[in-house]
Amino acid sequence: RDRHIASGCENPDIQTQKQMVSYIYKHYQEHITLTDIAAAGMVSRSKCCKIFQKYLSQSPVSFLNDYRLEISCNLLSDTAFSITQIATSCGFNHLSYYSKMFLQRYGCTPNVFRKIHQPGN
């Protein structure tokens, strides 16, 4: 019993989830696959998906895309980079895919978002 307390009571899945999320935060600009995310947590792809679903209520890939979109919002608001540069720097290889994902998530295009959120508007 004492040994259990000394090692900490944290669920190993939570530790794994933190490792995988941390990997996404560090590597979101790169091409990341489900296999890469699972490897970061040293679990199988199916275990990776189960952990994300359980603790974050979404798939690893949708978590990754949401994070990329969130970063892109900051860049749209705070920089003069082109939308293509922003999409690429956030890990989206295709502007059309980025625009589609952005529209689904925020209900407007990156261009409209930028017009609304840039200082002076």
Side-chain angles (χ1 to χ4, degrees):
R1 191 170 57 125
D2 294 338
R3 209 174 45 219
H4 188 69
I5 293 167
S7 69
C9 298
E10 192 169 86
N11 179 332
D13 282 355
I14 291 173
Q15 198 50 48
T16 300
Q17 182 245 326
K18 284 179 182 170
Q19 289 169 322
M20 293 186 292
V21 167
S22 172
Y23 177 83
I24 288 172
Y25 288 166
K26 283 189 193 114
H27 298 277
Y28 72 91
Q29 295 175 297
E30 302 161 26
H31 175 74
I32 300 179
T33 65
L34 176 57
T35 304
D36 297 328
I37 298 168
M42 294 177 289
V43 292
S44 68
R45 289 162 44 132
S46 64
K47 176 77 171 170
C48 171
C49 290
K50 285 184 183 123
I51 290 173
F52 269 83
Q53 204 54 58
K54 181 173 180 181
Y55 296 103
L56 299 166
S57 305
Q58 63 186 146
S59 75
V61 173
S62 77
F63 180 88
L64 169 63
N65 283 332
D66 282 353
Y67 184 66
R68 286 173 167 168
L69 289 169
E70 205 177 296
I71 299 286
S72 81
C73 286
N74 296 335
L75 293 172
L76 287 166
S77 301
D78 301 335
T79 72
F81 294 133
S82 74
I83 290 172
T84 303
Q85 286 172 312
I86 290 172
T88 307
S89 73
C90 291
F92 291 102
N93 296 327
H94 301 285
L95 183 59
S96 59
Y97 180 68
Y98 167 67
S99 297
K100 184 181 144 196
M101 296 291 293
F102 196 97
L103 184 61
Q104 280 177 350
R105 179 84 153 76
Y106 298 107
C108 65
T109 64
N111 219 358
V112 169
F113 182 92
R114 169 172 264 168
K115 285 185 179 127
I116 296 168
H117 291 89
Q118 272 196 328
N121 292 340

